[in-house]
Amino acid sequence: MTPKGDLKDLKAVRITPSGYQQGLGRLSDIQPPPLLAPYRNNLVACSQYYNLCFVASHDRILVHSPIFLDHMLLPPRSIIDLASSNTGLTGYIDPGHPHSINQLVVSDLGLEELLIAVTDDGDVVAYMTRSIRDDINHHGLAYNSPCFHSAVRPYFLRNVHNSAWGVALHQEARMIAVSSNSAKIHVFAFALGHSSSDHSGVVSSHHSADLDALGSLDTSEWVRVEPKDRLKPCDRSRNLEIILEQHWANIPSIAFYNPYNRDFNDIYLISTDIQGVTYMWDVWKRMPVAKLSSGPSRGMGWGLACIDPFFAQEAKSASELFGMEPGIDMSSGFIQTTDSLRHVPDYETVHFTARHRMKNRAATLDVHVRTDDSDLDDDIDDLGDEVDDLGEEDGMDSDSEDHDSPIEGEENSFTGRPGDNTWTAPTPAHLILEATAEEPSPVKQFTFCVLRTTRHDVRLLKLLHTTTGTPTQPTSLLSASEVLCRSVLDQDLHPDDIHLRRLQRLNMVHQVPELNLVVIGDQMGRVAVLSITRRKAQTGYGTLDDFGFRVEAFLPTKSQEDQGQRPRTDLLGVAVGPVQGHEQQREDLLDAAAGERLKRRRFIRSRPYRIMLYYLDHTVLSYEITR
């Protein structure tokens, strides 16, 4: 096993704590304090273009402007009262607050950046961040001025008829996808002018119309397209609401496959449900390209990120690729990298409150007169055993849904061994199911790279989709490999904190392509920062990329926990965005249509980013991250 400190060839990730704000003290001027909703997805988001941070407070959005250098959040500059599609709608989680927000997302659609909120009563509400910024500037208020209720109008407002959770945007295709507890996915495809799009329905970089030209809240009519309805391929003459049905459970997360370095002849969407089933959809054909499970025991799916292979750190060996010499489960074909966690700074398997209790008890025992020093060690060991046994006492058994068992009768063959340059990733047979797309284009090959999270584990799936043959007799082949890191943010709890176990889910996933990073948050209160890596490998299909990931850091740091900065409550959300003064410029949106924005930045320099952890008691921990 190679320690992470020996990986000299990879650019180091530098994370610096920059700010700490404790609880309601920073909101003393707002009475009553803003109420926050537990048991949701991510409720905090940052703009990539403006110095704005958004926090969901039930059916309102608090708009903050972080202060440089410590990125502290002063009282909000404005408050957005969330628009509603109708009165009398009912909620799923909290009937008393049916319009509470389940997730906030900031992403680009066409030439605008949107803030999108999806709610418990099924509403999908989008605002232009540019309009929010202009509204604040129009009032001309200082940072410490009392906040005002914003009059900004929503750009987009629809309802999906059940508690909405997942949301994804496709910038070039001008699509908004929303998943809900109805086990359906609604894809809203905005109408495009005939001169501004090609046959795939993607706006050309030479004819990029402003988002305002694609319809508006007052005048747009949406044509609902059910799975049984006939649909002309890539019809962009009308606003379409495309319904995708295949799941049988709640769908907390979806993501468009939206890389910057390939032509879009098809639009693909990834979705995962709480039964652990993941589908890859061809949106226009309204059917899955592939169906995947999290293994024989089907762990609950909570988070997704479609990784663009272009934005991955180059690795020269398996050790650099995974942060260790990987182990391979010969029965299931997974590339196991769980042991790499032991090399990560601040890796800790015991919750900070349990550690503090152990230290306090040890200090108390130390004042007694002892004839044998081993008595003290025995008492500490006993307390450690008490913590270790909590998995059985708290009724959570061993969460077997996320711990895969061998597949009977399955065999895998490998080339070389992990330390060899000839080593290639295994192909778990349970990941290879039928390719369901009808009449695929001949002689086509591309790679999906999808990061999936469950309650405990992080999985990186590479799926190679190859189509050969003739248009009348196509042959479609799927091959897959998967990197698995178990129990990434798991910690043993003290009996007094067993209630926190209900929050265990890796349901906050942010990509930072510019830094080759993914940030993953657990509602129990911690965050893992991952590097995405790749290495050239020889396979039966020629020279292809093997993909991996390495956990670089855990937040909050152990020293912050020891100083009492981490609260004993839920993590409400994680926001990631450029440091103030380094935001993207509006002209970057024009370049984005040609797919050049992030490519250029990768070769010039990487900007500093900030990560903000926002807790249910309003505590905020901020960090700067660079590479």
Side-chain angles (χ1 to χ4, degrees):
M1 222 177 293
T2 304
K4 292 177 68 65
D6 292 345
L7 306 183
K8 302 295 186 182
D9 294 333
L10 298 180
K11 292 182 180 179
V13 176
R14 294 178 292 275
I15 302 177
T16 306
S18 59
Y20 165 60
Q21 297 174 273
Q22 183 178 14
L24 292 174
R26 64 183 192 81
L27 296 175
S28 57
D29 295 337
I30 303 178
Q31 296 298 330
L35 297 176
L36 303 177
Y39 306 112
R40 313 298 164 126
N41 268 359
N42 197 15
L43 296 185
V44 187
C46 273
S47 170
Q48 307 297 302
Y49 298 91
Y50 313 111
N51 186 37
L52 298 175
C53 179
F54 308 99
V55 179
S57 171
H58 279 294
D59 58 353
R60 303 186 302 171
I61 300 175
L62 312 180
V63 184
H64 297 269
S65 293
I67 299 295
F68 192 73
L69 293 162
D70 52 14
H71 312 299
M72 295 181 66
L73 297 183
L74 297 180
R77 308 287 300 278
S78 68
I79 296 177
I80 300 173
D81 295 301
L82 198 67
S84 178
S85 64
N86 207 339
T87 58
L89 297 175
T90 59
Y92 178 84
I93 301 175
D94 183 359
H97 299 87
H99 204 47
S100 290
I101 296 170
N102 284 340
Q103 180 158 220
L104 279 182
V105 170
V106 172
S107 189
D108 293 340
L109 185 75
L111 302 185
E112 292 288 347
E113 182 186 56
L114 297 185
L115 167 67
I116 297 188
V118 293
T119 68
D120 195 30
D121 58 14
D123 271 356
V124 186
V125 192
Y127 298 89
M128 294 183 184
T129 58
R130 177 166 56 96
S131 298
I132 298 172
R133 188 277 315 264
D134 291 346
D135 191 38
I136 293 174
N137 291 345
H138 174 74
H139 283 77
L141 300 177
Y143 276 82
N144 56 356
S145 300
C147 68
F148 64 94
H149 283 262
S150 175
V152 63
R153 295 176 66 249
Y155 169 75
F156 177 82
L157 176 58
R158 297 290 291 175
N159 187 276
V160 296
H161 312 296
N162 210 319
S163 185
W165 282 81
V167 59
L169 279 69
H170 194 302
Q171 180 180 8
E172 288 84 358
R174 270 58 167 184
M175 289 182 175
I176 298 174
V178 180
S179 64
S180 72
N181 284 358
S182 65
K184 297 180 181 179
I185 301 170
H186 298 246
V187 181
F188 298 94
F190 288 82
L192 305 175
H194 292 292
S195 62
S196 63
S197 65
D198 59 20
H199 67 279
S200 66
V202 177
V203 176
S204 166
S205 60
H206 302 292
H207 302 89
S208 295
D210 197 297
L211 187 60
D212 291 330
L214 306 182
S216 69
L217 177 66
D218 297 328
T219 61
S220 295
E221 295 183 358
W222 291 85
V223 178
R224 185 180 175 97
V225 182
E226 298 286 354
K228 65 180 182 298
D229 297 334
R230 295 179 63 85
L231 175 65
K232 181 181 178 181
C234 304
D235 179 8
R236 304 309 298 267
S237 62
R238 304 168 293 170
N239 290 329
L240 300 177
E241 181 180 357
I242 301 170
I243 310 299
L244 305 179
E245 291 187 54
Q246 197 74 35
H247 287 278
W248 292 90
N250 299 345
I251 310 168
S253 186
I254 56 178
F256 277 110
Y257 188 69
N258 190 10
Y260 287 87
N261 61 340
R262 80 172 176 88
D263 295 328
F264 290 96
N265 293 317
D266 303 289
I267 305 299
Y268 292 100
L269 179 76
I270 319 297
S271 60
T272 191
D273 64 33
I274 59 173
Q275 290 184 350
V277 176
T278 299
Y279 284 108
M280 296 187 175
W281 301 85
D282 184 319
V283 172
W284 288 119
K285 294 176 180 176
R286 290 169 291 161
M287 62 190 308
V289 172
K291 173 186 175 183
L292 314 165
S293 73
S294 292
S297 51
R298 301 173 59 151
M300 297 175 67
W302 275 104
L304 280 176
C306 293
I307 306 298
D308 186 346
F310 186 82
F311 299 102
Q313 284 276 292
E314 296 287 347
K316 297 179 180 179
S317 66
S319 297
E320 290 184 352
L321 193 65
F322 305 113
M324 58 170 287
E325 290 287 343
I328 298 175
D329 186 339
M330 300 299 292
S331 61
S332 65
F334 286 114
I335 306 168
Q336 288 275 8
T337 64
T338 306
D339 285 345
S340 68
L341 298 176
R342 291 184 289 175
H343 303 301
V344 181
D346 296 314
Y347 175 63
E348 180 58 66
T349 60
V350 179
H351 192 266
F352 75 100
T353 57
R355 296 202 313 270
H356 293 170
R357 292 171 187 269
M358 291 166 64
K359 289 181 180 179
N360 292 338
R361 180 173 176 182
T364 302
L365 294 173
D366 194 42
V367 301
H368 296 289
V369 178
R370 297 179 180 274
T371 58
D372 187 350
D373 291 340
S374 63
D375 292 343
L376 178 59
D377 295 332
D378 292 341
D379 286 334
I380 296 176
D381 290 340
D382 290 342
L383 184 56
D385 293 338
E386 176 185 336
V387 173
D388 291 338
D389 291 339
L390 294 181
E392 299 176 1
E393 296 175 4
D394 64 9
M396 297 299 296
D397 53 63
S398 60
D399 290 309
S400 60
E401 75 273 15
D402 282 336
H403 295 275
D404 305 316
S405 58
I407 304 173
E408 294 184 4
E410 180 179 322
E411 295 182 358
N412 292 279
S413 59
F414 310 98
T415 303
R417 57 185 178 84
D420 294 337
N421 290 329
T422 59
W423 178 80
T424 58
T427 301
H430 73 272
L431 291 173
I432 306 175
L433 301 182
E434 72 277 7
T436 57
E438 296 177 353
E439 298 181 0
S441 301
V443 194
K444 180 173 61 177
Q445 184 178 93
F446 57 87
T447 300
F448 286 111
C449 198
V450 180
L451 185 140
R452 302 185 289 167
T453 63
T454 65
R455 290 185 61 199
H456 308 277
D457 305 339
V458 177
R459 305 162 180 266
L460 183 67
L461 169 71
K462 182 186 77 172
L463 182 70
L464 180 66
H465 186 199
T466 305
T467 302
T468 59
T470 65
T472 57
Q473 292 183 323
T475 299
S476 189
L477 173 66
L478 294 176
S479 62
S481 63
E482 187 160 43
V483 181
L484 170 64
C485 190
R486 296 192 187 279
S487 305
V488 174
L489 289 171
D490 285 14
Q491 289 186 320
D492 296 319
L493 297 172
H494 189 274
D496 292 347
D497 296 316
I498 289 302
H499 63 281
L500 295 175
R501 188 71 71 189
R502 76 195 190 282
L503 302 170
Q504 193 157 33
R505 55 184 70 167
L506 305 180
N507 65 335
M508 306 171 193
V509 181
H510 287 278
Q511 284 193 75
V512 190
E514 194 172 320
L515 300 180
N516 321 114
L517 297 176
V518 174
V519 179
I520 298 175
D522 181 354
Q523 221 159 13
M524 280 183 61
R526 290 206 306 159
V527 164
V529 180
L530 281 62
S531 283
I532 304 298
T533 56
R534 69 174 179 178
R535 183 173 68 101
K536 295 294 183 182
Q538 296 296 325
T539 73
Y541 307 102
T543 301
L544 298 175
D545 285 323
D546 277 339
F547 291 93
F549 64 86
R550 304 192 332 271
V551 179
E552 302 282 2
F554 296 110
L555 303 174
T557 65
K558 191 174 180 180
S559 62
Q560 288 180 305
E561 292 180 344
D562 292 341
Q563 294 169 20
Q565 294 184 5
R566 175 184 171 186
R568 291 177 57 188
T569 189
D570 313 20
L571 180 61
L572 186 79
V574 179
V576 181
V579 167
Q580 181 180 359
H582 295 270
E583 298 93 350
Q584 299 178 33
Q585 302 302 310
R586 181 160 175 81
E587 53 266 26
D588 289 332
L589 272 170
L590 303 177
D591 296 331
E596 295 297 327
R597 179 184 63 214
L598 292 181
K599 287 183 184 178
R600 285 207 315 273
R601 289 196 179 279
R602 180 187 180 191
F603 293 111
I604 299 174
R605 67 179 178 87
S606 295
R607 299 170 297 168
Y609 274 70
R610 58 189 171 198
I611 301 175
M612 286 180 277
L613 278 56
Y614 201 112
Y615 290 86
L616 196 62
D617 68 347
H618 294 282
T619 292
V620 181
L621 291 170
S622 302
Y623 307 84
E624 278 197 26
I625 181 168
T626 59
R627 191 188 282 279

